[in-house]
Amino acid sequence: MPAAIESARRHVSLDVNDPVFYSNPLDTYARFHAECPAFYWEERGQWYFAGYDRVNGLLRDRRFGRQILHVATREELGMAEPKPHVKDFDRLEEHSLLELEPPAHTRLRTLVNRAFVSRQIEQLKPEIEALCHRLIDGFEKDGEVELLKTYAEIVPVTVIARMLGVPVEMAPKLLDWSHRMVKMYMFNPSYETELDVNQASADFAGYLKELVDWKRDNPADDLLTHMIVTEKDGERLSDDELVSTAVLLLNAGHEATVHQVGNAVNTLLKTGSDPATVFADDATTEKTIEETMRFAAPLHVFQRYALSDIELEDGITLKKGDKIGLLLAAANVDPAKFTDPLTFRPNRNEGPHLSFGAGLHFCIGAPLARLELRQSLPILFERLPGLRLKEEPKVKDSYHFHGLERLDLVWG
């Protein structure tokens, strides 16, 4: 087994690069639920939580936050100084909606949120539908396809680029920058990876800064223009805030959705799900999409800082500045919440999964991701009857973002 668990001490030794683990972490999560749903991960040097109620509660607990230096100094926490070779990445993170706490988070999210409410997102439905059909037109006659590069990547990056007002022809470059940048969120990135992440961050920020300058003189009906001109309490977003927010929305707007499309198609095919049944109508489709996100989540862990010294109810003591890990995907398969949780049931109706997080940092793009999945998956199966796996897909050696290296399909 990939995990060595000392239940009495609640200590776990686990190698995230063990293929047995990252290829199918659900089996290990089942052991956590059975033996120690709250545990100290030795290799990571911090506490992690797997139970649904616990993860859901901690995501909403304002004693924890995404940042810590707004309430303590590096010296006070014994935190290392920033690495000079990742200064461009750090500059983007410093103003990122994902990393901020109120009041900065509230100000930024208020300015962006309007574009992502469900009634606004639903207006994109015809455009997404047309895009899906156009992409399938390009490979339907071939009888086979690698789905991630030709479909799963293109749909969300095209949609989020158009929403922001970024030229769609930039999509390949956006994907390249994004794929390189998210490697910084993996456990223990190498020095070489950090250098590449920083270069991608600098190039991405440089491009967007030029685009923001151009948009000031050439406003349009898009989210970037909206963020440039909108005021909140007499304030506007700074250039750094504009660029960081645009980078986050472009990255988050497609990275997880790409993985989820691949994970969902793989799950539906492997479980022998009948497309005519699981996508029979809007309500059935919605349940199916939510179950794919519960069962095959694209993002497995979020982290939080303890904003003060905290004593949790089960005797776990945290000092100000300690990090904790919240295992979203493990919470999604908690038997205390979901019946027979390791079984994929498209008609399941047992409450929400935690794949989009919860609380203050609940995914702002959730309505968009859901719409893209509700459109792209039924259309794919409808257009390609007899769809099946050409070969067993390989899971990426990337624990945080759970997805496939490639997904080769055949039909007919």
Side-chain angles (χ1 to χ4, degrees), residues 4-184:
I5 300 177
E6 295 180 48
S7 299
R9 294 176 59 227
R10 293 190 291 185
H11 274 228
V12 168
S13 177
L14 177 62
D15 179 7
V16 293
N17 299 120
D18 182 346
V20 177
F21 171 60
Y22 70 71
S23 294
N24 180 25
L26 300 192
D27 287 343
T28 302
Y29 295 159
R31 290 189 65 199
F32 292 159
H33 289 304
E35 300 180 44
C36 54
F39 61 91
Y40 188 83
W41 191 335
E42 292 182 349
E43 285 82 357
R44 301 297 303 154
Q46 64 189 65
W47 286 93
Y48 281 75
F49 300 87
Y52 181 94
D53 288 342
R54 198 64 180 285
V55 171
N56 189 29
L58 288 169
L59 284 168
R60 301 169 188 273
D61 192 330
R62 297 304 303 136
R63 295 176 298 171
F64 296 88
R66 284 289 297 174
Q67 62 180 166
I68 187 63
L69 295 179
H70 64 308
V71 296
T73 65
R74 289 181 177 274
E75 185 177 31
E76 179 186 346
L77 299 171
M79 185 182 289
E81 289 298 312
K83 300 175 180 178
H85 65 279
V86 293
K87 60 179 174 55
D88 294 295
F89 174 81
D90 285 346
R91 186 175 183 182
L92 289 175
E93 291 284 281
E94 183 182 351
H95 301 284
S96 171
L97 189 62
L98 186 63
E99 303 298 330
L100 295 174
E101 292 297 304
H105 176 272
T106 308
R107 173 173 159 269
L108 265 177
R109 183 148 181 152
T110 301
L111 286 167
V112 176
N113 195 56
R114 191 180 74 178
F116 287 91
V117 294
S118 296
R119 64 181 179 274
Q120 290 289 111
I121 294 301
E122 285 297 321
Q123 297 176 15
L124 298 170
K125 198 171 181 178
E127 182 179 336
I128 296 173
E129 182 177 346
L131 174 60
C132 291
H133 281 294
R134 189 163 66 250
L135 292 173
I136 295 172
D137 287 344
F139 57 73
E140 181 183 20
K141 64 183 181 300
D142 300 333
E144 63 178 89
V145 73
E146 193 292 296
L147 194 75
L148 301 188
K149 294 288 186 187
T150 57
Y151 191 72
E153 282 190 352
I154 298 176
V155 171
V157 75
T158 301
V159 172
I160 195 64
R162 284 180 176 164
M163 282 181 68
L164 274 159
V166 175
V168 174
E169 57 267 25
M170 283 296 295
K173 202 65 199 170
L174 298 176
L175 287 167
D176 175 60
W177 286 329
S178 178
H179 291 336
R180 290 159 63 193
M181 282 184 66
V182 297
K183 291 179 181 177
M184 186 63 95

Side-chain angles (χ1 to χ4, degrees), residues 180-200:
R180 290 159 63 193
M181 282 184 66
V182 297
K183 291 179 181 177
M184 186 63 95
Y185 302 115
M186 312 307 175
F187 287 162
N188 305 318
S190 68
Y191 179 78
E192 290 73 23
T193 295
E194 290 179 340
L195 286 177
D196 189 60
V197 166
N198 196 67
Q199 187 61 57

Side-chain angles (χ1 to χ4, degrees), residues 97 156 198 225 242 248 354:
L97 189 62
N198 196 67
T225 300
L242 279 165
L248 173 65
L354 294 179

